């Protein structure tokens, strides 16, 4: 039996090493994003690289690379020392709002035009899931998942999943603001009422009313987010 050439073994070792580094970096990305989702890391809060390394069991160099990725995605700022969770500015929110309003208008009109009765029922189930989550003790991560599911049902029924490519680029700012909003006392219940208005308009096949309800929900979410952020005394980043 022929022995595997040494160059092939070295190539395989390099591939294994690269895959291992990618897994370790992903471990850091998931840990930090989860902390942001659960609001353990809040806008304006500084990360301790050493603490992240100790918690994840990943080397300092790989942690720095992962945090650099998060900075490029818009989750963190990049000061000379440890990075800080971004606190989006009102100007940034206005830019995001302009794009989301346009996307959501297309989304609801397509939903009204082509959603089946079973898809409307699926949306009702997603609404019930959010309402149930909002009625339990505050859990920002669970609320975000339930909200994402609600909008995901609309996108799938509208055949507008391609809009996710645009939303992904805005994801960091949206999540940072929504997590802050959903941690404000009373906001989960208010959000549940706003999502019900969206559902009822869509169930009635009233696209104009649904688009307006989406815009209202977004505007109130952003306002709640800035109330939460400004209450911390942390300046937002332009």
């Amino acid at each position: 039996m022929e022995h595997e050439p040494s160059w092939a073994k070295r190539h395989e070792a390099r591939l294994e090493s690269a895959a291992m580094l990618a897994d370790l970096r992903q471990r850091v990305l998931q840990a930090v994003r989860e902390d942001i989702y659960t609001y353990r890391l809040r806008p304006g809060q500084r990360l301790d690289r050493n603490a992240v390394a100790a918690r994840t069991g990943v080397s300092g160099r790989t942690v720095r690379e992962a945090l650099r990725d998060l900075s490029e995605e818009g989750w963190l700022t990049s000061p000379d020392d440890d990075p800080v969770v971004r606190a989006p500015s009102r100007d940034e929110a206005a830019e995001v709002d302009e794009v989301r309003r346009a996307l959501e208008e297309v989304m609801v009109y397509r939903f009204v035009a082509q959603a089946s009765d079973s898809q409307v029922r699926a949306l009702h189930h997603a609404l019930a899931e959010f309402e149930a989550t909002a009625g339990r003790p505050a859990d920002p991560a669970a609320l975000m998942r339930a909200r994402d599911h609600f909008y995901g049902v609309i996108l799938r029924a509208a055949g507008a999943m391609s809009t996710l490519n645009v939303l992904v680029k805005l994801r960091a700012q949206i999540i940072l603001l929504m997590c802050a909003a959903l941690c404000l006392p009373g906001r989960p219940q208010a959000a549940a009422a706003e999502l019900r208005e969206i559902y009822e308009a869509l169930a009635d096949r009233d696209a104009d009313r649904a688009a307006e309800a989406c815009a209202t929900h977004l505007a109130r979410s952003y306002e709640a987010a800035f109330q939460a952020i400004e209450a911390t005394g942390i300046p937002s980043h332009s």
Side-chain angles (χ1 to χ4, degrees):
M1 180 176 179
E2 292 186 7
H3 293 291
E4 186 178 14
S6 59
W7 64 265
K9 292 181 178 179
R10 289 196 299 271
H11 179 65
E12 183 178 354
R14 283 195 294 270
L15 290 177
E16 290 178 352
S17 178
M20 184 178 298
L21 286 173
D23 287 344
L24 292 174
R25 184 181 298 187
Q26 189 62 32
R27 185 189 303 176
V28 176
L29 295 175
Q30 290 176 346
V32 175
R33 287 196 189 111
E34 182 66 19
D35 281 349
I36 291 173
Y37 263 109
T38 57
Y39 221 50
R40 287 193 293 265
L41 283 175
R42 304 190 176 202
Q45 186 170 340
R46 189 176 300 279
L47 275 73
D48 182 336
R49 285 194 180 97
N50 293 330
V52 173
R55 174 186 168 193
T56 59
V58 176
S59 71
R61 178 178 178 180
T62 302
V63 167
R64 285 194 298 273
E65 292 173 352
L67 295 183
R68 189 180 303 118
D69 289 344
L70 290 170
S71 295
E72 292 174 357
E73 293 173 8
W75 296 89
L76 309 172
T77 62
S78 300
D80 294 333
D81 50 2
D82 291 329
V84 172
V85 180
R86 283 183 60 81
S89 69
R90 289 182 179 271
D91 287 342
E92 285 178 320
E95 292 178 6
V96 172
D97 182 57
E98 184 177 355
V99 176
R100 278 196 64 113
R101 280 176 184 260
L103 292 175
E104 289 181 350
E105 185 170 331
V106 172
M107 175 181 74
V108 299
Y109 274 88
R110 292 184 65 172
F111 183 100
V112 165
Q114 62 193 46
S116 65
D117 290 343
S118 64
Q119 288 170 324
V120 173
R121 288 195 295 271
L123 184 61
H124 185 264
H125 290 321
L127 169 65
E129 176 188 344
F130 186 92
E131 289 176 330
T133 306
R136 295 192 285 266
D139 184 345
L143 286 164
M144 284 297 296
R145 286 193 294 270
R147 185 181 181 278
D148 284 349
H149 179 52
F150 179 85
Y151 275 93
V153 172
I154 298 175
L155 284 168
R156 284 190 292 275
M161 293 302 287
S162 61
T163 61
L164 285 176
N165 294 330
V166 179
L167 291 175
V168 162
K169 297 179 180 179
L170 307 174
R171 187 168 176 76
Q173 292 100 316
I174 293 170
I175 290 177
L176 288 166
L177 289 168
M178 291 302 169
C179 284
L182 291 171
C183 285
L184 198 68
R187 179 59 199 160
Q189 294 75 24
E194 291 157 16
L195 295 187
R196 174 164 286 279
E197 290 179 7
I198 295 171
Y199 162 75
E200 290 177 350
L202 290 173
D204 290 341
R205 307 286 177 165
D206 188 335
D208 289 339
R209 182 156 58 94
E212 183 59 33
C214 284
T216 297
H217 170 63
L218 199 62
R220 290 177 179 171
S221 294
Y222 285 171
E223 188 55 40
F226 286 113
Q227 288 180 29
I229 291 171
E230 290 164 2
T232 68
I234 299 295
S236 60
H237 296 274
S238 58

